[in-house]
Every structure is written in C-alpha cells, then in structure tokens.
C-alpha cells in the first residue's frame, strides 16, 4: 500500500501528517503508524497525525459549536493520546497548506480532549487556545489524592526514592517534578518508571523542571508512548500550571525545551492556557507500507 505523507516538526517534536479528509477513521492501523514512526525501519517520528473531517454543532444547552477538522494522533508506539500540543501547531500548518489558507486564520479542531483552537499568526508562529487545565485526581487519572481533589506536591516513591510531584491533565496526563539541575537528571533511566508507575492507571507523561526565574523554566520530558522527545506542548502547559500552583512560576512563563522555547500563558480571566510556538514542514514524501498483519 502506497502512503503519501508530510513530515512536520514543532521544536523538534516531529510528526507524520496524513490527509484523511475523505474518511472518518485514520487510514493506518496503530501498528502501521508505529512502523512508520520507527527511526531506523520507517520514516521516523514521535507520532502520526490524521486530518479527518470536523464535527457538526451539537444542539442543547451544553452543545458545542461546529469544528473545522478532527485531529487523531498515535504515539510512536501506536497508543492513542487524547491531545498533543506541538502536534496541534503542526496540524494547523498542515491544514493551512491543504486548504491554501494564509495567516491570520483560526481553526476549530475536534480532539479527544474537546475543541482546541490554533491561530496561525502572520509572524509564522501558532498560538493555541489549549482550554482549561484539569486538576482533580479522577481527571488525571491518579490515585495520589482522593478522586475529587488535586494532587499537588504529593510524595511519589520511584525506585526507592521519594519525589514531590504535581499532576495536571491537559486532556492527557502529566506528572511534574521540580529538580535542581535538569540537564543532569537521569531521564532515560527514571522516565520510564514514572510512565508506568501504578499510581497512574492510564500511564503518564513525566516532566522534570528547573526554575531558572519565576517566568523562565527549563523542562525535559519523558513522554508516554514516545520516550524522550525534544519538546512537549501539553507538558509545557502542565508545567506552568504546576509551577503556579506550587508558588514557583508566574502565569506567563517561557518554557525552554531541548528543541527551543514555548511561551505559555495561563489566563486569570478565563482559566484557559495559551501556548505560542513554531511549527514547520520538514519534508514530504511517499513510501510503500508492508502490511504488518500479513507479514
Ligand atoms: O499523552 C501522550 O501520550 C503524549 N505522548 C502525547 C503527545 C504530546 C506531545 N508531545 C505534545 O506536544 O503535547 C505531542
């Protein structure tokens, strides 16, 4: 089966994008997506993103208005996250290319975490209304606190060591730990133990944060289903929320990731989080996909 794809990256967090505007479900199985994401046996990416048609407006009081497109994403291991911050910036650029639309333009995108609105700005950056953070233990989900309470500065024992962690959901689950020196943190060894810790029934994205100044922090991430990546947009949003809740960050903070900086603002007015950063086309191509089921 021949696949046409584009490859986008936001701060080095990279995604294969596939045009599925004429379908209602992704054209690849999770196993096929994982095969294409492999950096040695495939195209190489942190995830695969599918552009599907939007949803019509729902009637009723709590009904949502119509969306332009639906974004589905598979992590590089084939698991499906609810949301993806760098991915949605890439997705907005990809849609603008497919639609022949120029900035400024705002899309309304249906995701498994609700409606998310990325705005293409004339300077080339994408500013995304990421919606509100979710804080209760049930929403993360985590067993670190009673279901209706947030888990802020809770002890978590990993490999015999006690870390003080805060959990935040941006639609997808995050666990934030403040460390003295993030460059020296043994992410590759410890990250996977956070990801699969029994206190997190849907696994977790693990962010490690060094506070440089209250409005400037450094972050490294071990992503659920993808491992170490150069950037994580939802993780950067979750980290600023955790920083504010722990009295260590301002509501408007720059997050420096290995792939570059993101501007994060947690609005005191409407409780929404706004993320601003780049997204670029890396290359386009086609490849022949062997069917893993018939291999
Ligand atoms: O929640 C998860 O399983 C994440 N691996 C999804 C991807 C998050 C991402 N890095 C981001 O930028 O938010 C793409």
């Amino acid at each position: 089966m021949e696949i046409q794809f584009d490859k986008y990256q936001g701060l080095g967090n990279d995604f294969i994008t596939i045009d599925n505007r004429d379908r209602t479900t992704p054209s690849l199985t999770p196993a096929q997506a994982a095969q294409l994401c492999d950096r040695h046996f495939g195209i190489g990416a942190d995830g695969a993103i599918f552009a599907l048609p939007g949803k019509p407006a729902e009637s009723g009081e709590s009904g949502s208005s119509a969306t332009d497109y639906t974004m589905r994403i598979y992590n590089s291991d084939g698991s499906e996250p609810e949301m993806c911050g760098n991915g949605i910036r890439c997705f907005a650029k990809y849609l603008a290319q497919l639609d022949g639309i120029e900035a400024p333009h705002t899309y309304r995108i249906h995701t498994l975490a609700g409606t998310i609105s990325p705005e293409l700005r004339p300077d080339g950056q994408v500013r995304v209304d990421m919606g509100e953070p979710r804080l209760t233990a049930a929403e993360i989900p985590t067993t670190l606190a009673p279901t209706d309470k947030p888990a802020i500065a809770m002890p978590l024992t990993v490999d015999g060591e006690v870390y003080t962690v805060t959990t935040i959901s941006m639609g997808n689950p995050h666990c934030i730990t403040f460390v003295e020196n993030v460059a020296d943190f043994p992410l590759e060894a410890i990250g996977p133990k956070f990801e699969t810790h029994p206190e997190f029934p849907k696994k977790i994205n693990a962010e490690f944060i060094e506070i440089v100044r209250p409005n400037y922090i450094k972050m490294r991430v071990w992503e659920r289903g993808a491992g170490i990546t150069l950037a994580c947009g939802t993780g950067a949003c979750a980290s600023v929320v955790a920083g504010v809740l722990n009295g260590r960050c301002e509501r408007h903070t720059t997050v420096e990731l290995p792939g570059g900086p993101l501007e994060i603002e947690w609005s005191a007015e409407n409780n929404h989080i706004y993320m601003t950063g780049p997204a670029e086309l890396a290359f386009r191509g086609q490849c022949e996909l062997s069917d893993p089921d018939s291999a």
Side-chain angles (χ1 to χ4, degrees):
M1 160 166 115
E2 182 161 290
I3 306 285
Q4 302 285 339
F5 66 90
D6 287 16
K7 187 57 206 301
Y8 276 79
Q9 56 86 18
L11 300 179
N13 195 194
D14 56 345
F15 304 96
I16 299 161
T17 55
I18 298 201
D19 182 1
N20 280 168
R21 289 175 299 165
D22 58 349
R23 298 172 52 97
T24 53
T25 55
S27 55
L28 300 179
T29 64
Q32 288 171 326
Q35 183 187 332
L36 291 185
C37 286
D38 189 286
R39 296 195 186 278
H40 303 288
F41 295 95
I43 298 160
D46 294 325
I49 293 179
F50 305 88
L52 300 154
K55 306 273 181 215
E58 283 169 27
S59 54
E61 240 170 65
S62 60
S64 54
S65 48
T67 46
D68 306 306
Y69 291 101
T70 296
M71 177 175 87
R72 297 268 306 264
I73 166 171
Y74 294 141
N75 285 317
S76 54
D77 73 351
S79 60
E80 181 168 17
E82 304 79 355
M83 235 307 270
C84 175
N86 287 315
I88 202 141
R89 294 200 317 280
C90 292
F91 193 64
K93 285 269 170 113
Y94 180 53
L95 294 176
Q97 174 205 306
L98 293 177
D99 290 341
I101 275 178
E102 305 235 338
H105 184 79
T106 301
Y107 281 109
R108 289 174 51 79
I109 308 298
H110 177 76
T111 74
L112 296 181
T115 301
I116 306 285
S117 302
E119 172 199 349
L120 294 151
R121 299 201 324 193
D123 65 0
Q125 298 257 310
V126 185
R127 182 173 195 258
V128 186
D129 179 347
M130 301 283 284
E132 302 185 51
R134 298 152 210 196
L135 304 184
T136 66
E139 289 169 300
I140 304 301
T142 180
T143 49
L144 283 173
T147 48
D148 58 339
K149 296 272 185 314
I152 301 171
M154 298 302 283
L156 178 75
T157 305
V158 179
D159 232 10
E161 189 149 339
V162 182
Y163 295 83
T164 302
V165 306
T166 296
T167 59
I168 307 287
S169 169
M170 290 303 305
N172 58 348
H174 295 274
C175 175
I176 293 93
T177 308
F178 300 103
V179 298
E180 283 297 309
N181 182 328
V182 76
D184 288 350
F185 187 80
L187 187 60
E188 194 157 3
I190 305 295
K193 300 190 167 147
F194 272 72
E195 181 188 5
T196 57
H197 198 289
E199 301 272 16
F200 307 124
K202 289 195 178 158
K203 300 191 182 170
I204 207 103
N205 295 286
E207 285 83 20
F208 299 90
I209 303 296
E210 177 182 333
I211 309 277
V212 180
R213 298 186 291 279
N215 66 356
Y216 193 98
I217 64 178
K218 288 186 185 174
M219 167 182 144
R220 287 173 68 208
V221 59
W222 177 275
E223 277 190 38
R224 177 180 68 169
I228 293 176
T229 60
L230 294 180
C232 176
T234 49
C237 295
S239 295
V240 171
V241 173
V244 171
L245 293 176
N246 282 281
R248 305 181 73 150
C249 270
E250 293 177 8
R251 296 184 83 102
H252 191 159
T253 289
T254 302
V255 182
E256 184 190 310
L257 301 136
L262 282 176
E263 288 301 319
I264 307 296
E265 193 183 348
W266 185 16
S267 166
E269 268 116 68
N270 64 6
N271 199 35
H272 284 221
I273 302 177
Y274 297 88
M275 170 192 68
T276 307
E280 300 293 343
L281 175 69
F283 60 89
R284 350 171 64 160
Q286 68 256 358
C287 67
E288 198 59 43
L289 185 69
S290 60
D291 183 353
D293 299 331
S294 65

